């Protein structure tokens, strides 16, 4: 027995003190002990309380050898950028019928110092219980060879180490990041009608050099249950600050918890970049295992605004009953009036406003059982280098204008609503262009998608190849909307990025407002607000 501060007796008690009692059992059995603390006051035995008594018992048992299962026979970090910290779990499960005492977990002292463990826990593992040991890899220099170590799992006594997990990693210059990493499939059915569950992930190049991906494989024994692929043909190159889309699939063969590794092979590198994935299937869900499942597209979609796309859904019924699909539009950008076209699992959709659209896919089997829904996102991107889009809140006629400031002055009222400097409903819809063409080039001349006379927009004007020698002014005109006040929002995009969102409130018909001026710089834009307002314009 020792004091917490390791001081020897006698101990002076003027506050609460902590003591530690240790026990070493060398024989099976129960060992009771009674500890007495004599109490002295002024160097004499206390008459009020001569001693304090503490009772303790220790039980020594003979544990049988543990039946431990390691989720993976080895832990492979793969190719990791120098200076990056990557943490991965080693999952240990007690598959035996008795409790397993984990005495110690330790990394090989002779292994690479680039590895460390953040949770080296001792304790008891009940039958069926699992715990994760978080292991960290932090490469600090390029060596050209693998960093290696091992995790030793000691159980029952400190001399027994029946579980050894080899650990490896390779320091590289590449700065790849997987999003997400780990890919979590959650629960996936594996009953009468098994099929693949699909999850999307992306790989982003955070380094300074292009990275060429040459192959994708599944590590260890996971090939029958797992698969992964790129959304483009291999080999493919990821430029710096860019990303590529991938998808992983999981089909459990029985009731189990699975952890596996997706290997992304890089040109000129002996070790792959690895992405972790996990999923599980068991019979604990009861009747829920027989409900139908909705299957949404593996990845969010990105399309050009006003482009028709397919919502590629599917329905899965573990009971093998026929199931039907119903897509629902949950949310859309302000001003959108787009609707899903068609029924079933694969209807079409044409986004009419730049922004993100959210959908839900619901499924019902032939007995009328409503199953598990899924959600999907579609993002409508601007069409060209400069895109201007306006929407409003009261149905009626609002017009969008884009003025070539190389041909006219935006602060002169007579510059607007006329050819050839202004692109608007009379000269710029249904494929028409102002005449003569701006800069003498069709690609450098603006176009208006449609003229909305009775709705709430949108109206969209875009220029495929804007001039870099002059600006373009943006105007909105309340030609005939009498539902005043009318709240108008005009969004200005440059190279697919929102540059400015400008609100306008019309209180009367025939008001014209010059919102501002946008200047194209080759890849980016600058915006200069204006705010000029003319009443009784026409």
């Amino acid at each position: 027995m020792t004091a917490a501060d390791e001081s020897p007796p006698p101990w002076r008690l003027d506050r609460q003190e902590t003591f530690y009692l240790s026990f070493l059992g060398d024989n099976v059995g129960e060992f009771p002990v009674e500890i007495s603390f004599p109490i002295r006051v002024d160097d004499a035995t206390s008459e009020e309380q001569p001693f304090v008594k503490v009772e303790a018992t220790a039980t020594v048992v003979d544990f049988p050898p543990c039946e431990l299962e390691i989720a993976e026979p080895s832990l492979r970090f793969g190719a990791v950028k120098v200076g990056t910290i990557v943490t991965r779990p080693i999952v240990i499960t007690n598959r035996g019928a008795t409790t397993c005492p984990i005495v110690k977990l330790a990394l090989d002292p002779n292994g690479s110092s680039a590895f460390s463990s953040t949770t080296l826990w001792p304790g008891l593992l009940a039958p069926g219980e699992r715990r994760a040991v978080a292991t960290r890899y932090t490469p600090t220099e390029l060596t050209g060879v693998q960093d290696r170590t091992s995790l030793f799992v000691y159980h029952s006594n400190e001399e027994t180490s029946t579980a050894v997990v080899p650990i490896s990693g390779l320091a590289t210059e590449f700065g790849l990041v997987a999003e997400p990493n780990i890919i979590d499939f959650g629960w996936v059915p594996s009953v009468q009608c098994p099929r693949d569950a699909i999850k999307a992930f992306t790989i982003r190049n955070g380094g300074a050099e292009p990275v060429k991906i040459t192959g994708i494989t599944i590590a260890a024994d996971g090939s029958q249950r797992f698969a992964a692929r790129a959304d483009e043909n291999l080999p493919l190159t990821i430029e710096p600050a860019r990303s590529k889309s991938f998808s992983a699939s999981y089909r459990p063969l029985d009731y189990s918890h699975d952890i596996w590794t997706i290997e992304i092979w890089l040109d000129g590198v002996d070790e792959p970049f690895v992405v972790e994935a996990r999923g599980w299937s068991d019979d604990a869900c009861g009747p829920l295992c027989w409900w139908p499942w909705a299957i949404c597209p593996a990845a969010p979609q990105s399309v050009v605004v006003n482009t028709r796309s397919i919502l590629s859904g599917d329905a899965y019924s573990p009971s093998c009953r026929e199931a039907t699909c119903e897509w629902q539009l949950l949310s859309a950008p302000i001003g959108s009036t787009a609707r899903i076209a068609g029924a079933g699992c694969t209807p079409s959709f044409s986004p009419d406003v730049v922004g993100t659209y959210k959908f839900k896919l619901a499924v019902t089997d032939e007995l009328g059982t409503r199953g598990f829904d899924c959600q999907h996102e579609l993002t409508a991107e601007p069409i060209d280098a400069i895109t201007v889009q306006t929407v409003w809140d009261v149905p009626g006629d609002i017009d969008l204008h884009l003025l070539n400031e190389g041909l006219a002055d935006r602060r002169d009222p007579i510059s607007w609503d006329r050819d050839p400097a202004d692109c608007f409903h009379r000269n710029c819809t249904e494929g028409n262009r102002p005449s003569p063409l701006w800069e003498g080039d069709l690609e450098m001349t603006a176009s208006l998608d449609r003229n909305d006379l009775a709705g709430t927009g949108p109206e969209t004007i875009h220029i495929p190849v804007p001039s870099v020698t002059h600006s373009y002014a943006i105007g909105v005109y309340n030609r005939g909307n009498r539902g005043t006040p009318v709240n108008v929002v005009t969004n200005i995009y440059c190279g697919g990025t929102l540059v400015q969102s400008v609100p306008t409130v019309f209180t009367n018909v025939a008001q014209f407002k010059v919102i501002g001026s946008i200047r194209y710089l080759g890849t980016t834009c600058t915006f200069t607000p204006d705010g000029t307002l003319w009443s009784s314009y026409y």
Side-chain angles (χ1 to χ4, degrees):
M1 188 183 68
T2 60
D5 60 2
E6 299 183 353
S7 62
W11 297 294
R12 180 178 178 84
L13 299 181
D14 53 8
R15 63 185 185 278
Q16 178 177 305
E17 294 286 353
T18 300
F19 298 88
Y20 292 105
L21 179 64
S22 62
F23 173 79
L24 176 62
D26 56 0
N27 291 294
V28 174
E30 187 171 281
F31 297 86
V33 65
E34 182 179 281
I35 307 166
S36 293
F37 292 85
I39 306 299
R40 299 180 63 84
V41 179
D42 296 331
D43 294 328
T45 300
S46 172
E47 294 181 0
E48 183 177 345
Q49 187 177 8
F51 58 86
V52 173
K53 182 186 296 184
V54 178
E55 294 183 353
T57 300
T59 302
V60 179
V61 298
D62 186 11
F63 282 102
C66 296
E67 296 180 34
L68 298 180
E69 176 187 272
I70 310 296
E72 292 181 284
S74 63
L75 183 61
R76 188 180 192 180
F77 283 86
V80 175
K81 181 178 173 60
V82 169
T84 302
I85 299 175
V86 179
T87 301
R88 300 198 186 283
I90 298 175
V91 180
I92 302 174
T93 304
N94 181 6
R95 292 301 185 191
T98 60
T99 297
C100 176
I102 303 297
V103 178
K104 182 175 66 173
L105 296 97
L107 293 176
D108 185 352
N110 298 316
S112 170
S113 61
F115 299 100
S116 61
S117 184
T118 58
T119 53
L120 295 185
W121 45 263
L124 300 178
L125 271 186
E129 185 180 0
R130 64 171 53 86
R131 292 190 191 177
V133 180
T135 304
R136 177 179 294 168
Y137 178 44
T138 310
T140 57
E141 60 179 338
L142 294 172
T143 62
V145 296
Q146 281 188 325
D147 293 312
R148 294 182 179 274
T149 191
S150 295
L151 176 71
F152 297 99
V153 182
Y154 296 86
H155 61 84
S156 300
N157 61 70
E158 290 193 22
E159 288 73 39
T160 303
S161 174
T162 57
V164 180
V165 182
I167 303 171
S168 65
L170 178 67
T172 69
E173 296 178 310
F174 296 120
L176 297 184
V177 178
E179 299 170 345
N181 195 357
I182 303 170
I183 304 170
D184 192 352
F185 282 85
W187 178 83
V188 176
S190 65
V191 284
Q192 291 184 354
C193 306
R195 66 184 301 169
D196 293 336
I198 299 175
K199 291 280 187 179
F201 66 99
T202 60
I203 295 179
R204 177 171 52 86
N205 182 3
E209 299 293 332
V211 176
K212 184 177 182 181
I213 294 178
T214 58
I216 302 173
T217 57
I218 302 297
D221 62 348
S223 59
Q224 293 184 358
R225 303 186 299 278
F226 319 114
R229 64 174 181 82
D231 290 352
E232 301 177 16
N233 292 329
L234 296 178
L236 63 83
T237 299
I238 307 180
E239 299 293 335
R242 299 290 183 178
S243 61
K244 295 290 185 180
S245 298
F246 297 77
S247 60
S249 63
Y250 172 45
R251 177 182 293 195
L253 303 180
D254 50 22
Y255 297 132
S256 62
H257 284 70
D258 292 305
I259 298 176
W260 68 99
T261 300
I262 301 169
E263 301 172 330
I264 309 295
W265 293 93
L266 313 177
D267 186 35
V269 181
D270 293 335
E271 276 289 290
F273 173 72
V274 299
V275 181
E276 294 287 323
R278 63 189 176 197
W280 60 280
S281 180
D282 61 29
D283 57 358
C285 58
L288 297 183
C289 291
W290 302 96
W291 288 14
W293 284 67
I295 302 175
C296 286
Q301 291 175 263
S302 181
V303 299
V304 173
V305 66
N306 293 320
T307 300
R308 179 177 176 270
S309 60
I310 301 297
L311 301 176
S312 300
D314 201 355
Y316 165 58
S317 175
S319 62
C320 300
R321 301 187 185 101
E322 183 177 353
T324 57
C325 297
E326 180 186 2
W327 281 98
Q328 301 171 25
L329 179 60
L330 297 179
S331 63
I334 295 174
S336 172
T337 59
R339 296 293 180 264
I340 298 170
C345 296
T346 56
S348 63
F349 182 77
S350 298
D352 58 348
V353 174
V354 172
T356 299
Y357 299 77
K358 294 185 178 181
F359 302 87
K360 180 175 75 174
L361 176 58
V363 292
T364 307
D365 68 18
E366 57 187 314
L367 297 182
T369 303
R370 177 72 174 266
F372 296 97
D373 301 338
C374 62
Q375 293 192 10
H376 175 59
E377 286 190 359
L378 181 148
T379 300
E381 304 286 353
I383 190 170
D384 283 322
I386 287 181
T387 299
V388 182
Q389 189 170 73
T390 192
V391 295
W392 51 97
D393 63 347
V394 179
D397 191 7
I398 299 291
D399 287 340
L400 176 64
H401 293 248
L402 189 70
L403 184 73
N404 184 328
E405 294 195 82
L407 301 175
D409 180 2
R410 70 174 183 269
R411 294 189 175 90
D412 185 350
I414 66 172
S415 296
W416 300 86
D417 216 43
R418 290 170 174 80
D419 286 337
D422 186 11
C423 170
F424 64 110
H425 69 92
R426 280 209 302 266
N427 67 342
C428 222
T429 55
E430 298 179 355
N432 294 323
R433 298 289 195 278
S435 180
L437 296 175
W438 296 352
E439 280 71 50
D441 189 332
L442 185 69
E443 291 293 294
M444 301 181 73
T445 307
S447 175
L448 172 67
D449 285 349
R450 71 186 183 103
N451 179 32
D452 189 353
L453 298 173
T456 58
E459 289 194 4
T460 306
I461 296 178
H462 48 88
I463 309 176
V465 185
S467 171
V468 296
T469 63
H470 61 79
S471 302
Y472 300 88
I474 301 137
V476 288
Y477 178 36
N478 183 357
R479 178 173 294 275
N481 194 321
R482 300 186 179 279
T484 54
V486 182
N487 295 288
V488 181
V489 176
T490 305
N491 293 322
I492 301 137
Y493 301 89
C494 178
T497 302
L498 180 64
V499 174
Q500 197 77 26
S501 181
V502 183
T504 303
V505 180
F506 287 129
T507 56
N508 290 293
V509 175
Q511 289 180 321
F512 191 108
K513 185 173 183 179
V514 181
I515 288 176
S517 178
I518 186 169
R519 181 71 176 264
Y520 186 62
L521 304 178
T523 57
T524 61
C525 296
T526 59
F527 176 78
T528 303
D530 192 301
T532 301
L533 178 67
W534 297 306
S535 298
S536 303
Y537 184 67
Y538 279 116

